[in-house]
């Protein structure tokens, strides 16, 4: 249609895969998807991992990774870009269409100043002179609330926060004055307080420049704040498309309804026992030449219960886990495990100390050896701690796979053959194989889509009842905290600002920081972002 900036027709995206020991096969990622987008409008693409969201976003730029093959038509500004040459595509990328990725930190060159990188595309495509591009960037810095706009571009990437760097990447996408921007999970890696600022900045930038955008995410509450319409995808197919308000309040398809109603976990808070499994007492820790990260932190975890440690990036959550595991010896304080004091350094801890304290990481992809089968990965702790071999080990691995609701059919599979949720389940089984008393869960659901994350949380709670294992759950997601925690430790700038049973920590009156965290959790409601920003404005004016 002539009125549409972007018109994707019958898009099919496939890739060639090479399963171990088998012939090459075709994997269809996107199946006959069509969509349109008008100038100045925002279309949200939502769905679980592997739904094809990012692949469609990249296809809107005429781009396919690796062996991916695109077929169908992608009309941008009245021409089919898939029919164009490689040279034609290079001319439009960074000019007519730009891209904002999930990880701004990985997208900037650490050796170059921000301004040099932000204006590079505009200079390359000749959409502005250097002075014009810099002036546009400074105006956008100011518009998006970045500090000291005149001099912000002189900084290096490591000299700004994650939220500031994500906004800087949005500026980089806007400086060439494109017609279309692809936002690919731009707030997923951010804590909730920073996410508010970045969402507000993105929405303001779109409104002020009249650019069209595709906003890719797995968080329906987030996409509802910035999108005019939302398309729901699953397994590479379109499930439903409607206005954001209609998707939230009166969705038609069962899958969409499940996305809207996710996180309805009913977890009854348990009372602390007399003898905690772990006590971290008066912990102070620092990196390098005494850059203090933790300041007099004391917490305890009880058998069969979950302590959620919550706070924004840089609050000290993961550093506390590093101290407890012995990876970072504290300069003050000690860690008690049961009746014994743990050595501050990992190298001095006993084999039993290592066995009883396990850890599950955020990124399951990097936590497993891609060349080992699931059976080998889960079997390693069984060999190391209990000396199991052969049929006895294989039998126990199969039992653990049943516990995580996967079954022994996965024994001989490799990580590349698993979904994101399945990979995280394998990591859970590996931790359970050691029969630990405590498992530290470090942001284990933050990289997963809501439905898969919901399944992982329910699995962890079920296993906790069976094994009576304690969890120390590190997260910045308050919805997760409400769903699984028995007690909560709120951290801010290395200090404990609120601590106790969940029912007390989440009950008013609140300290200023806990109040800010709770108010920053996105709600499945159109206009929620504007309400939060207006409340902040009124509170600021009152002060």
């Amino acid at each position: 249609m002539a009125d549409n900036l972007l018109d994707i027709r019958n898009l099919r995206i496939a890739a060639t895969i090479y399963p171990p020991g088998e012939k090459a096969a075709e994997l269809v990622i996107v199946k006959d998807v069509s969509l349109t987008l008008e100038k100045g409008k925002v279309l949200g693409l939502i769905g679980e991992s592997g739904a094809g969201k990012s692949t469609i976003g990249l296809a809107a730029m005429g781009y396919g990774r690796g062996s991916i093959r695109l077929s169908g038509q992608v009309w941008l500004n009245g021409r089919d870009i898939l029919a164009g040459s490689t040279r034609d595509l290079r001319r439009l990328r960074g000019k007519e269409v730009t891209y904002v990725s999930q990880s701004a930190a990985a997208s900037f060159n650490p050796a170059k100043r921000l301004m040099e990188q932000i204006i590079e595309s505009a200079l390359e495509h000749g959409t502005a002179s250097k002075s014009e591009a810099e002036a546009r960037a400074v105006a956008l810095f100011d518009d998006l609330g970045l500090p000291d706009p005149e001099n912000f571009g002189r900084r290096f990437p490591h000299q700004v926060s994650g939220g500031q760097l994500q906004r800087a990447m949005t500026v980089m996408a806007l400086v060439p004055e494109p017609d279309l921007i692809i936002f690919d999970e731009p707030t997923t890696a951010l804590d909730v307080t920073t996410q508010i600022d970045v969402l507000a900045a993105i929405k303001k930038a779109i409104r002020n420049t009249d650019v069209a955008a595709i906003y890719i995410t797995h968080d329906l509450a987030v996409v509802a704040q910035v999108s005019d319409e939302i398309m729901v995808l699953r397994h590479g197919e379109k499930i439903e498309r409607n206005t954001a308000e209609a998707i939230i309040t009166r969705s038609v398809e069962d899958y969409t309804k499940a996305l809207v109603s996710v996180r309805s976990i009913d977890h009854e808070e348990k009372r602390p026992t007399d003898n905690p499994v772990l006590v971290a007492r008066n912990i102070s820790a620092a990196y390098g030449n005494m850059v203090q990260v933790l300041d007099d932190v004391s917490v305890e975890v009880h058998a069969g219960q979950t302590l959620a440690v919550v706070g924004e990036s840089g609050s000290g959550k993961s550093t506390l886990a590093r101290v407890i595991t012995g990876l970072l010896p504290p300069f003050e304080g000690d860690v008690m495990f049961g009746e014994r004091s743990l050595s501050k350094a990992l190298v001095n801890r006993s084999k039993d100390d290592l066995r009883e304290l396990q850890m599950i990481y955020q990124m399951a992809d990097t936590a497993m050896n891609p060349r080992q089968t699931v059976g080998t990965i889960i079997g390693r702790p069984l060999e190391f701690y209990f000396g199991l071999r052969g049929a006895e080990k294989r039998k126990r691995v199969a039992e653990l796979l049943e516990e995580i609701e996967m079954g022994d059919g996965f024994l001989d599979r490799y990580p590349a053959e698993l979904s994101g949720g399945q990979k995280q389940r394998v990591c859970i089984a590996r931790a359970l194989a050691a029969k630990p008393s405590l498992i530290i869960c470090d942001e284990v659901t933050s990289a997963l889509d809501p439905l898969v994350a919901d399944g992982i949380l329910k699995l962890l709670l079920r296993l906790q009842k069976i094994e009576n294992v304690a969890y120390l759950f590190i997260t910045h997601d308050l919805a997760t905290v409400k769903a699984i925690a028995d007690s909560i430790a709120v951290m801010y700038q290395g200090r404990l600002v609120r601590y106790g049973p969940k029912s007390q920590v989440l009950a008013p009156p609140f300290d200023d920081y806990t109040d800010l965290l709770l108010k920053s959790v996105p709600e499945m409601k159109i206009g929620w972002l504007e309400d939060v920003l207006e409340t902040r404005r009124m509170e600021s004016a009152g002060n």
Side-chain angles (χ1 to χ4, degrees):
M1 293 175 61
D3 292 339
N4 293 317
L5 169 73
L6 178 69
D7 188 354
I8 295 178
R9 305 173 188 174
N10 308 114
L11 179 65
R12 184 181 188 271
I13 304 176
T16 303
I17 58 172
Y18 300 89
E22 299 179 25
K23 292 182 178 179
E26 183 183 64
L27 174 66
V28 180
I29 302 167
V30 173
K31 307 165 188 175
D32 195 33
V33 168
S34 298
L35 63 87
T36 56
L37 181 61
E38 297 176 29
K39 187 175 182 180
K41 298 294 185 179
V42 180
L43 173 65
L45 293 185
I46 187 163
E48 60 194 52
S49 299
K53 307 182 300 293
S54 294
T55 310
I56 291 173
L58 291 171
M61 305 174 66
Y63 181 76
R65 296 181 184 136
S67 63
I68 281 180
R69 298 179 302 281
L70 309 176
S71 58
Q73 298 176 322
V74 177
W75 292 80
L76 180 66
N77 279 326
R79 65 188 186 282
D80 182 7
I81 63 175
L82 295 188
S85 66
T86 301
R87 187 176 181 183
D88 292 334
L89 290 171
R90 286 175 180 165
R91 285 174 178 167
L92 71 89
R93 294 175 191 153
K95 181 181 181 183
E96 294 179 48
V97 56
T98 56
Y99 180 81
V100 177
S101 70
Q102 177 178 343
S103 177
S107 301
F108 280 93
N109 186 330
K112 293 184 177 181
R113 297 184 191 274
L114 290 172
M115 183 62 84
E116 182 182 354
Q117 301 179 68
I118 285 169
I119 67 173
E120 181 180 8
S121 187
L123 299 185
E124 179 71 22
H125 290 284
T127 61
S129 66
K130 183 178 180 182
S131 60
E132 289 170 338
E134 288 181 348
R136 282 181 199 168
V138 170
L140 287 164
F141 292 156
D142 186 45
D143 212 27
L144 301 191
L146 288 165
D148 190 12
E150 293 290 340
N151 297 301
F152 181 82
R154 294 180 56 78
R155 301 183 186 185
F156 289 93
H158 71 275
Q159 294 176 311
V160 303
S161 70
Q164 289 172 349
L165 202 58
Q166 199 69 45
R167 278 178 277 177
M169 194 172 187
T170 301
V171 172
M172 181 163 60
L174 286 164
V175 165
E177 298 185 325
D179 299 305
L180 173 66
I181 299 181
I182 313 297
F183 290 99
D184 194 354
E185 302 270 14
T187 65
T188 298
L190 304 177
D191 57 77
V192 289
T193 53
T194 305
Q195 178 176 256
I196 295 279
D197 295 329
V198 173
L199 281 175
I202 288 172
K203 193 162 187 176
K204 185 177 182 181
I206 292 170
R207 183 180 66 243
N208 290 356
T209 60
D210 200 33
V211 67
I214 292 177
Y215 194 102
I216 297 163
T217 181
H218 59 239
D219 192 329
L220 188 51
V222 166
V223 78
Q225 307 311 315
V226 297
S227 299
D228 298 293
E229 292 191 14
I230 295 172
M231 178 183 283
V232 182
L233 297 160
R234 191 183 191 196
H235 304 322
E237 296 182 283
K238 181 174 77 172
I239 300 298
E240 187 170 356
R241 175 175 177 171
N242 212 326
T243 64
E245 191 271 338
I247 291 290
I248 296 295
T249 62
R250 52 183 187 278
S251 49
V252 175
E253 301 296 329
D254 290 341
Y255 178 70
T256 309
K257 291 176 181 177
L259 285 176
V260 173
S261 62
V262 76
R263 286 290 165 87
S264 56
I265 297 174
D266 183 21
H267 173 63
E268 185 177 344
E269 177 187 315
K270 297 183 283 292
R271 296 175 62 85
T273 57
D274 292 333
N275 300 309
V277 172
L278 177 131
V279 177
R281 186 184 297 119
N282 306 119
I283 300 294
S284 293
Y287 291 112
N289 55 349
M290 296 303 287
V291 178
Q292 189 162 342
V293 184
L294 295 178
D295 184 4
D296 195 27
V297 174
S298 297
V299 296
E300 56 186 51
V301 192
H302 296 259
Q305 297 187 21
T306 300
L307 167 65
V309 182
V310 64
E312 61 189 35
S313 301
S315 63
K317 307 185 301 294
S318 294
T319 300
L320 177 62
R322 290 174 65 82
V323 169
I324 292 170
T325 55
L327 294 172
L328 177 68
F331 63 81
E332 285 183 7
D334 52 30
V335 178
M336 299 291 297
F337 204 85
E339 298 295 322
R340 67 187 185 274
S341 177
L342 290 180
S343 172
K344 292 182 178 180
L346 179 66
V347 68
N348 296 323
R349 294 189 181 181
S350 69
K351 193 172 185 178
D352 208 44
D353 291 337
L354 301 178
R355 181 189 64 77
E356 287 207 78
L357 182 58
Q358 294 292 306
M359 193 158 182
I360 306 170
Y361 299 92
Q362 177 180 357
M363 300 303 295
D365 280 316
T366 58
M368 295 188 289
N369 188 329
R371 296 190 176 186
Q372 292 182 346
T373 64
V374 167
T376 301
I377 290 167
I378 298 175
R380 288 291 296 275
L382 297 174
E383 288 184 29
F384 183 73
Y385 293 117
F386 307 111
L388 297 187
R389 298 282 192 279
E392 190 179 13
K393 182 181 78 170
R394 192 174 177 88
K395 179 174 179 290
R396 179 56 184 148
V397 171
E399 290 172 353
L400 286 164
L401 283 169
E402 287 295 332
E403 282 193 43
I404 61 168
E405 301 167 351
M406 287 178 66
D408 61 7
F410 287 86
L411 266 167
D412 298 316
R413 293 197 190 181
Y414 289 86
E417 299 174 87
L418 307 179
S419 69
Q422 288 170 340
K423 290 174 187 176
Q424 198 60 283
R425 286 172 185 260
V426 171
C427 289
I428 291 170
R430 178 173 59 185
L432 288 173
K435 294 186 177 179
S437 300
L438 173 68
I439 297 177
I440 296 176
C441 304
D442 192 358
E443 301 275 15
V444 296
T445 60
S446 65
L448 303 174
D449 63 79
L451 285 176
V452 175
D454 189 62
I456 293 294
L457 294 178
K458 288 175 180 175
L459 173 66
L460 287 169
L461 288 172
R462 185 176 66 78
L463 293 172
Q464 189 174 57
K465 288 181 181 179
I466 296 171
E467 304 288 345
N468 199 37
V469 65
Y471 298 138
L472 192 155
F473 207 101
I474 296 168
T475 183
H476 61 247
D477 185 346
L478 268 294
T480 296
V481 171
K482 292 175 182 178
I484 67 160
D486 298 294
S487 55
I488 301 173
V490 181
M491 296 190 66
Y492 179 62
Q493 294 185 349
R495 296 185 65 87
L496 210 56
V497 296
R498 196 172 177 91
Y499 175 58
K502 176 172 65 174
S503 56
Q504 293 180 15
V505 171
L506 297 183
F510 300 113
D511 60 277
D512 290 345
Y513 180 66
T514 304
D515 187 48
L516 176 64
L517 278 180
L518 291 171
K519 288 179 178 177
S520 299
V521 179
E523 295 179 14
M524 203 80 72
K525 183 177 74 174
I526 303 299
W528 170 83
L529 179 62
E530 285 74 16
D531 291 345
V532 170
L533 295 172
E534 178 62 16
T535 300
R536 283 190 185 181
R537 189 192 65 77
M538 293 177 66
E539 289 176 349
S540 179
N543 294 330

